[in-house]
Each structure stands twice: as structure tokens, then as C-alpha cells.
Amino acid sequence: MEILWVLMALVMLGFVLLPFLRRRRGMIEQVPPGHPDAADPANYGFAPTEELDVRMPGPDQDLLDVLDLVQRTQDYKAAAQLLAGTEAEGELRWQRVQAFAGAASLELQQRPGGVSETPGGQWLRVWRTEAPKDAGGAAVHAEFLVQQAWRTSTPGTDEFRIIMEEAKAACGDAALLAPGDPIPYIIELSVARGLAYPREDFEQLWLKILDRAPHHMGAHLAALHFWCEKWHGSRELAYSFAEAAAARAPRGSLLAAMPLFAVFEHLPEVNLVSGFYQSEVVSKAIHGALHAVHSARPDDPILAHVRHLLVFFLVRAERWAEAMHQLIHVDGHVGALPWTLSPDPAAEFAVYRALAVAGYEANGGSPATLPH
């Protein structure tokens, strides 16, 4: 799909994009910096590729400060305090739980430990030992186990199932510590996908989340995976789920962008249809996401997630000015779909950013004409 898309773009734009891209073995290569034909993202104030933060979709300085402190001192207390002060039903708490769990999982991967070495992520183990009744620590531990299962083993294997069963039990423990908190159940959505819950059981789990946080975007995104064709549903079921969520979204909710995520999850492996990204289904999903972004609170933690996916679709649809408008809001952070699916998220983001700049300038745009 990637190769064919670039080839089609080169044919359609010819002399415009040819100086900017070369495609080899499935990789997009940019023209070297300083080349006379290269559009320079730095002219727009965009961050150098090496400075892009791959940990998060957007800024959360409190989280970054605490993560730095915890990893530097291996003391969990700052993380516990941050989660305790974060609204239980909100999107921000869910993102912070994921971030702490991901940090511990990555530490363990980098330092598995040995005879004379303490394993990475030890602060999370100490957290659970010293504060077994702390709901935040219990949620982070459950999410840590889920990430470990996906990171270190293969779905369907005994090892994967063992870790996921442990994660399921940890979700239950976390739920008992905070009965009104939706996060333990949101974490279990990934367990349900990994262990292939029967649909009846999945729907019961989903009802528990709706009772606690009916408009939680992170929960809907996690549930969408279950209904996708590549897991336990179909294209039709996934689209139906996403469209129903968008239809009942309250004003200002980013749930209106759910159909765009459903489209992304079902992109064809090979696209032979000219104008696929200008098709009615894709255009309608983009329109819904743009409307959601326009209506959302500027501080909505999910806003950056939607903007990143819009960059992907707007570039592919050759809607350069709209792509640039999204880029000025998210540049600097790349910890979101679709970039996180790449082995090098920063490089992948940088390629799409360069495409947007090239297309924008080829159609008369410049730094002076781009509103901030």
C-alpha cells in the first residue's frame, strides 16, 4: 500500500514531488537537507526529527517531569501522587496510566536483570509491594502486564495466555480498589481482545465501562480493536460501532472522530483504487474528525491523537493546507497512531510532514500564509 501510494503520488504530482521523495525497499527517503529542491520544515518552526518526542501524542509536562523523576530515582511516590490527583473518569488519567506502564515495560526490556543487575521497572514492583491498596499502582501494574504480553510474546501461545490471565486477575484487583473507576475495565478490553472473549462477555465488560464513563474516547478506541476484522469482528461491525459512537457523541466530544479510526483499521493492504483517499467513505470520516477537532476543548487529552491521524489521511488525500494546519498543533510529539506502528515513529512522521510542506508550497503556500 505504501509503495503504490507513493508511486501514484509521483505520477500525479510529477515534477512537484519527485525532488522530495525516493522510494527504496518500502522506505521513503527525503532529499538531503540543503538540497536546492528540498522544502524545509524548519522554515515553519517545526522541530528537527531527532528532537521529536516519541513517548506522547502531545504535551503533558507534569507527566514528563514525574516520569523523569521516577526513572532517575526509582522511587514511585511521585507517580502515585500524580495519579491520585488526576480525575478518575477522564482521558488524562488513562493516558498517564499507559505512560507509566509503558515506561516500566520498556525499562524491563532494556534491563532484564541478572545476577548482579536490578531489573528495569523495579519501582513498579516496589509500588505494588509497599502500597498494595493504592488504586493507581494497581491500574499501572495491570496495564504493565498487558503491554508485556503484547511486547514479549505472540498471541495464541501459552506464554501470551499466561501473562494475559495474570493481567485479567490484576484488572479485577484494581477494580476492587476503585469500584467507580473505568480504567481497570478499559485495560481489560485489551485482555478481552488477546484472550478472545465471547461476544457476550465482551459486551458485559463494555456495559461496565459505559456505566462509569459513557463518552470515554480511549475506551472506545480500545473496544474498536475487538470489533475489527483482524480480531474478532468485521469491517461492518467496526464501522457500526464507530458510527454509533459518533452519533451519540455530545457536543465537543471527539467521539465524532471514531469513524476515521475505523477506516484506518481497515485500510487495504494493497490499494489499487485511484482516489481511494478522496472516496466518499474516507472523505466523510475526515469531515467528521475535522468537525470534532474544531468543536473540542483545546485541552482535551485526546485531541492530539485525532490530529495525528488527520495528518496521515489529509496528506494521502493531498489536502496539503489542512494537513499543515494540523501539523502546527501537534509537531514535536509523535507518540500516536499511525506513527507508533512504525519501527521509527519520528522518521515516519517526518516523511509525512515533508510531504505536507512540499505539497503546500507547490500550491502557493509559504510560512507567511500559514496561520498559527
Side-chain angles (χ1 to χ4, degrees), residues 151-179:
R151 188 190 298 271
T152 65
S153 53
T154 303
T157 63
D158 289 343
E159 180 186 10
F160 181 85
R161 177 168 288 277
I162 288 169
I163 302 174
M164 277 298 189
E165 291 288 359
E166 186 180 356
K168 181 179 180 180
C171 288
D173 294 341
L176 289 174
L177 292 171

Side-chain angles (χ1 to χ4, degrees), residues 5 7 27 71 86 102 178 186 280 299 354 360:
W5 180 81
L7 289 174
M27 299 296 290
Q71 294 186 305
T86 307
I186 297 173
E280 182 179 355
D299 63 345
Y360 183 64

Side-chain angles (χ1 to χ4, degrees), residues 19-359:
F20 300 99
L21 300 178
R22 293 195 307 273
R23 179 65 82 153
R24 291 181 181 173
R25 297 182 180 273
M27 299 296 290
I28 300 176
E29 297 182 5
Q30 289 179 253
V31 173
H35 190 284
D37 290 327
D40 189 357
N43 292 336
Y44 296 83
F46 293 149
T49 304
E50 62 273 15
E51 294 180 11
L52 294 171
D53 192 327
V54 302
R55 296 170 295 180
M56 299 162 56
D60 183 350
Q61 195 57 50
D62 288 342
L63 173 62
L64 291 178
D65 291 343
V66 169
L67 265 177
D68 178 68
L69 179 63
V70 168
Q71 294 186 305
R72 182 162 36 85
T73 65
Q74 290 295 295
D75 187 338
Y76 69 87
K77 293 183 181 63
Q81 290 173 354
L82 184 64
L83 285 183
T86 307
E87 180 190 7
E89 295 80 13
E91 306 283 355
L92 190 60
R93 181 179 171 87
W94 169 228
Q95 291 194 17
R96 288 173 170 176
V97 165
Q98 289 180 297
F100 286 129
S105 180
L106 186 58
E107 279 186 41
L108 183 59
Q109 181 182 5
Q110 294 171 340
R111 299 195 315 275
V115 176
S116 60
E117 182 185 41
T118 301
Q122 183 68 18
W123 53 270
L124 179 54
R125 297 180 184 84
V126 175
W127 189 355
R128 294 297 293 130
T129 301
E130 293 186 355
K133 301 299 184 183
D134 181 54
V140 172
H141 179 241
E143 173 66 13
F144 166 81
L145 290 170
V146 167
Q147 293 194 27
Q148 280 295 100
W150 292 110
R151 188 190 298 271
T152 65
S153 53
T154 303
T157 63
D158 289 343
E159 180 186 10
F160 181 85
R161 177 168 288 277
I162 288 169
I163 302 174
M164 277 298 189
E165 291 288 359
E166 186 180 356
K168 181 179 180 180
C171 288
D173 294 341
L176 289 174
L177 292 171
D181 189 348
I183 289 180
Y185 301 102
I186 297 173
I187 297 170
E188 193 179 346
L189 290 172
S190 189
V191 176
R193 176 163 56 99
L195 295 181
Y197 278 23
R199 287 187 182 178
E200 199 173 287
D201 293 348
F202 183 86
E203 288 168 353
Q204 287 298 314
L205 172 62
W206 183 239
L207 287 175
K208 293 177 182 178
I209 295 170
L210 292 182
D211 285 344
R212 291 161 174 81
H215 306 302
H216 198 289
M217 180 74 167
H220 280 78
L221 291 174
L224 177 65
H225 289 299
F226 183 90
W227 295 117
C228 285
E229 190 172 59
K230 60 188 174 186
W231 288 105
H232 311 297
S234 64
R235 179 189 302 268
E236 292 72 26
L237 285 170
Y239 278 26
S240 176
F241 175 81
E243 288 164 2
R248 65 172 181 269
R251 180 171 178 78
S253 169
L254 286 162
L255 285 174
M258 282 295 297
L260 189 65
F261 286 87
V263 170
F264 177 76
E265 292 295 336
H266 293 87
L267 289 176
E269 289 296 327
V270 177
N271 175 32
L272 299 177
V273 180
S274 178
F276 172 79
Y277 288 92
Q278 294 89 21
S279 67
E280 182 179 355
V281 64
V282 175
S283 296
K284 182 179 177 182
I286 290 175
H287 177 77
L290 287 170
H291 175 74
V293 164
H294 178 74
S295 304
R297 300 189 332 266
D299 63 345
D300 191 314
I302 295 295
L303 186 55
H305 286 274
V306 180
R307 289 191 187 278
H308 278 290
L309 196 62
L310 274 169
V311 170
F312 172 87
F313 276 99
L314 290 169
V315 167
R316 286 180 169 250
E318 300 172 25
R319 295 165 64 167
W320 313 115
E322 291 169 290
M324 291 292 287
H325 182 70
Q326 301 305 318
L327 280 167
I328 63 175
H329 290 286
V330 298
D331 190 75
H333 299 84
V334 295
L337 285 175
W339 327 121
T340 50
L341 298 179
S342 167
D344 190 342
E348 186 78 1
F349 173 83
V351 166
Y352 278 78
R353 185 176 63 182
L355 278 166
V357 170

